[in-house]
Amino acid sequence: MIVKRKPLNLFERLYLPAIIGGFKVTLRHLFKKKVTMQYPEEKWVVPEGYRGAPYLVKDQEGSTKCVSCQLCEFVCPPKAIRIVPPGPDSLTADRPNAEKMPKEFEINMLRCIFCGFCQEVCPEEAIFLQKDYSLTGTSRAEMIYNKEKLLALGGVHAGVQKWKHKAEEAKAQENFPVKV
Amino acid sequence: MKNTQEFGYDSRIEGDVIHTSVDAAINWFRKNSIWPMPMGLACCAIELMATGASRFDISRFGMEVMRFSPRQSDCMIVAGTVTYKMAMAVKRIYDQMAEPKWVIAMGACASTGGMYRSYAVLQGVDNIIPVDVYVAGCPPRPEALLDALMKLQNKVQREPLLATLKKPGPALAKA
């Protein structure tokens, strides 16, 4: 098919209407609300439930909650988590009345896909996806976070009681498919 | 809802005349005109496009000219899964870029292979090309990429330019 090109009339050949039309768009945008977020100065407010970087949390007394059950290591799809549990010779816990504790706990943040499976599977509520959304590094080694770093970044998660949420979730499951 | 902080140069405090060295001046030009080569291979490329769009506006850092020709670009942003099939092309495009050149590995797949621990996927683009900044995330938010670009700018700023002028770049030095 051949499309016939319409010859321009004098008004169109002036190109002035087109230029004015263009300037109208420019002017309209000049007075519109600016959409650009000046990133390093302006920060975005992270919504509740956002899945950021996973960090280990401490309990109300400030001790490690993780008991190195290795469920998160098992469930992690990219296998970003590596846990070394305490062996028979090494110290199991660093405080009295504590269960087992991980000897080493590493998360490779470059492997991590922030899926939240570790948080979901954790029976101790020791790992949480927090609000850090911007992790960058200049080497791969520096992006492997060890236990100390994860605990420092995670902070104390006050108000989380062991099993309480799991019990609530289990209760919610009972009437999950809403009965009519 | 936004939080605002103040940064930047203030002439009332620091004065109107600035003394500098050639190194610092040239590095300053360079760091504020890094032209990226978008090596978009998967979903990270969508976030890369978002970084270029008006909300995050990469042009505030002088990087809006995404060049699809390696000859004209300074910084390759590898965004996405690098398969072995694509690795050859990535390497070739990197080799075609003119010195000085930098690389950002954006996202889990480009940085380490991510969840693709597979026979078909290169476990990190740094196996074939030297990477300057790694960005975590799957995909990373545009802010994370902007942070990586700022990290790269800091790296460019610190480069001893005249000392490295006669030396071959990373691509030639490794061979």
Side-chain angles (χ1 to χ4, degrees), chain A residues 36-45 50 78-79 109-111 113-114 133-140, chain B residues 3 5 54-56 60 108 111-112 114-115 117 123 126 132-134 136-138 141 143-144 147 151:
Chain A
T36 308
M37 187 175 75
Q38 303 291 328
Y39 170 60
E41 292 90 3
E42 271 178 355
K43 293 239 158 83
W44 169 69
V45 176
Y50 179 76
K79 303 204 187 305
M109 287 299 175
L110 289 175
R111 280 270 180 203
I113 56 168
F114 308 93
Y133 53 85
S134 176
L135 305 174
T136 52
T138 48
S139 71
R140 269 168 87 153
Chain B
N3 304 325
Q5 262 182 298
S54 46
R55 171 120 192 253
F56 298 99
R60 294 181 292 128
S111 304
T112 58
M115 62 175 238
R117 288 180 180 268
Q123 298 298 301
D126 53 0
D132 294 291
V133 187
Y134 300 85
C138 184
R141 280 193 65 81
E143 286 103 329
D147 273 337
K151 215 163 235 186

Side-chain angles (χ1 to χ4, degrees), chain B residues 47-108:
Chain B
E47 293 298 295
L48 178 59
M49 286 177 231
T51 319
S54 46
R55 171 120 192 253
F56 298 99
D57 200 10
I58 203 169
S59 67
R60 294 181 292 128
F61 303 91
M63 296 167 188
E64 74 275 30
V65 257
M66 297 261 180
R67 289 295 145 148
F68 294 87
S69 157
R71 306 281 185 201
Q72 299 171 348
S73 33
D74 304 304
C75 168
M76 184 149 101
I77 301 173
V78 186
T81 323
V82 187
T83 54
Y84 279 119
K85 198 172 182 179
M86 199 60 199
M88 308 296 163
V90 174
K91 173 76 176 154
R92 170 173 280 189
I93 287 169
Y94 177 75
D95 287 344
Q96 284 172 346
M97 280 163 66
E99 297 275 356
K101 52 189 172 184
W102 300 277
V103 178
I104 293 175
M106 181 185 179

